[in-house]
Amino acid sequence: MSEYKEIAARFAREAAGHKMTIAHDDGVFRHLVFCDPKHSFYWFEIVTTPGQLVFSGDGESFVFRRVTDMFEFFRSGLGRNGSVEINPQYWSEKLTSDRDSVKEFQEDLFLKLVWEEAEHLIEQEHVKPDQVDRFRQAIKDDIVEGGLYSTSGDAYRTVTEFGFYNDASKEFDWQHQPDIVFDDAWEWFGATKDYDWWFLWACHAIVAGIARYDRVRKYGLEKLATPQGGAS
């Protein structure tokens, strides 16, 4: 099972009624179509040519390049017991387009990291012991509840503009600089991004599609999955 269990469960639920059609199958030249005959939601296709696999469907398309037969590459996600273990980090490195585009800013990761950095500053005694409660309240008021972080740009500005004074009387004195700022935010801010759900869904779809294709070929049922013989 993938570490992204919620996406694995979502794929299983949304693709439960999908039928496979083998539109083309000639060596590494393949075209597989997966869809639910009752509706068009979450359909997807897998097309391979030498050295390339193209995933397209009810969302963004992805093109992967690595080895001559890309089915062999993605079979690494199939366990002998039938389990699925996707590897989004490694697989995203094989994308031919912008690899960073498959990651998106995650608010929950951002807030988790802010609190971790805040606790680190407390442990390092940058915050005076008698000011710890006030510091935590400032984090809550100025970032968690009062800050803007609907986008990565807003979140970065919010955290880098934060300042805390151990002596509250100096807060509005322009002659004094804050005692605590997140001046190292650039080092950890990249960890506020994680893989987009659709890319993870696509990874599961590719592995599941290959597994289904392999089962059909193993039992010699290809004709049942061709347009002439009907969907499998």
Side-chain angles (χ1 to χ4, degrees):
M1 179 61 68
S2 164
E3 60 183 297
Y4 296 92
K5 295 181 180 180
E6 70 283 0
I7 300 298
R10 177 172 181 172
F11 170 77
R13 181 175 64 252
E14 293 171 341
H18 281 27
K19 304 298 182 182
M20 179 180 73
T21 299
I22 301 177
H24 188 81
D25 189 17
D26 181 14
V28 296
F29 293 89
R30 310 181 186 91
H31 181 190
L32 311 181
V33 182
F34 300 84
C35 64
D36 192 317
K38 297 179 181 179
H39 58 74
S40 61
F41 300 130
Y42 300 109
W43 66 273
F44 65 93
E45 296 182 346
I46 299 173
V47 176
T48 61
T49 55
Q52 179 171 277
L53 182 146
V54 179
F55 172 90
S56 59
D58 204 9
E60 186 178 356
S61 299
F62 304 106
V63 181
F64 302 85
R65 292 188 66 88
R66 178 63 177 87
V67 297
T68 301
D69 186 354
M70 289 299 291
F71 271 25
E72 288 297 326
F73 176 77
F74 282 105
R75 284 189 180 107
S76 64
L78 287 170
R80 292 183 178 180
N81 61 353
S83 62
V84 172
E85 189 71 35
I86 65 171
N87 191 343
Q89 179 176 352
Y90 180 56
W91 294 353
S92 66
E93 294 173 359
K94 310 311 171 188
L95 289 168
T96 61
S97 55
D98 183 8
R99 297 167 183 173
D100 291 334
S101 66
V102 298
K103 283 189 171 184
E104 63 179 4
F105 173 71
Q106 306 280 347
E107 290 185 11
D108 57 338
L109 289 179
F110 168 68
L111 295 177
K112 177 176 179 290
L113 286 168
V114 166
W115 282 119
E116 287 179 355
E117 291 300 315
E119 292 303 316
H120 177 71
L121 290 170
I122 293 172
E123 291 172 2
Q124 295 297 313
E125 298 184 349
H126 293 288
V127 183
K128 290 183 177 180
D130 62 344
Q131 297 299 311
V132 168
D133 289 343
R134 193 169 67 84
F135 174 65
R136 288 184 175 134
Q137 188 63 47
I139 294 290
K140 181 179 179 181
D141 293 343
D142 297 345
I143 298 180
V144 178
E145 295 182 354
L148 296 175
Y149 48 87
S150 59
T151 67
S152 60
D154 287 341
Y156 190 76
R157 282 190 294 273
T158 294
V159 78
T160 54
E161 290 174 359
F162 174 83
F164 179 80
Y165 296 78
N166 279 309
D167 183 346
S169 66
K170 297 179 180 179
E171 185 171 351
F172 300 103
D173 187 341
W174 63 270
Q175 299 182 70
H176 295 88
Q177 296 296 318
D179 297 299
I180 298 172
V181 294
F182 290 104
D183 55 0
D184 63 343
W186 61 273
E187 294 182 354
W188 52 265
F189 195 80
T192 63
K193 290 187 176 183
D194 202 357
Y195 292 99
D196 174 76
W197 77 269
W198 177 247
F199 177 70
L200 297 172
W201 197 98
C203 289
H204 277 286
I206 291 170
V207 176
I210 292 173
R212 192 165 188 174
Y213 169 82
D214 287 345
R215 287 196 300 272
V216 166
R217 287 179 60 86
K218 178 180 179 180
Y219 294 107
L221 302 175
E222 294 93 331
K223 290 185 178 180
L224 296 179
T226 62
Q228 296 85 353
S232 69

